[in-house]
């Protein structure tokens, strides 16, 4: 078969682990962080590296920025202001 196809990928289920876990198991995780482990145990799909032990990593960003100020904030965070 030489029919052309398009393969599109979506966000990782771990980006929305709590909602995905609830949808596939009909159970609620104790927390968003616990949902990562719960989903991994249920599906045997590895948690993506950037999310492993995320609760043990230092917080790098803690600001809430108004959309109108986003460009200035990005330049400031990059040291380009």
């Amino acid at each position: 078969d030489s029919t052309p196809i398009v393969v599109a990928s979506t966000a990782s289920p771990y980006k929305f682990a709590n909602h995905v876990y609830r949808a596939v198991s009909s159970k609620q995780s104790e927390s968003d962080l616990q949902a990562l482990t719960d989903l991994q145990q249920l599906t045997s799909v590895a948690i993506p590296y950037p999310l492993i032990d995320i609760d043990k990593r230092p917080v790098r960003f803690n600001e809430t920025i108004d959309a109108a100020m986003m460009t200035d904030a990005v330049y400031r965070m990059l040291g380009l202001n």
Side-chain angles (χ1 to χ4, degrees), residues 39-53:
L39 187 58
Q40 189 276 326
Q41 290 175 345
L42 181 68
T43 65
S44 298
V45 174
I47 299 170
Y49 173 76
L51 297 176
I52 295 173
D53 294 329

Side-chain angles (χ1 to χ4, degrees), residues 4-22:
I5 62 170
V6 174
V7 177
S9 72
T10 60
S12 166
Y14 287 99
K15 185 173 184 180
F16 309 102
N18 211 344
H19 297 287
V20 173
Y21 179 71
R22 186 175 50 205

Side-chain angles (χ1 to χ4, degrees), residues 34-79:
Q34 181 60 44
L36 297 171
T37 301
D38 292 343
L39 187 58
Q40 189 276 326
Q41 290 175 345
L42 181 68
T43 65
S44 298
V45 174
I47 299 170
Y49 173 76
L51 297 176
I52 295 173
D53 294 329
I54 194 167
D55 57 324
K56 296 178 178 81
R57 296 182 188 178
V59 174
R60 294 177 50 204
F61 304 101
N62 59 5
E63 296 178 60
T64 301
I65 301 164
D66 186 80
M69 301 301 298
M70 189 61 65
T71 300
D72 292 339
V74 170
Y75 283 134
R76 179 176 45 80
M77 288 178 191
L78 294 174

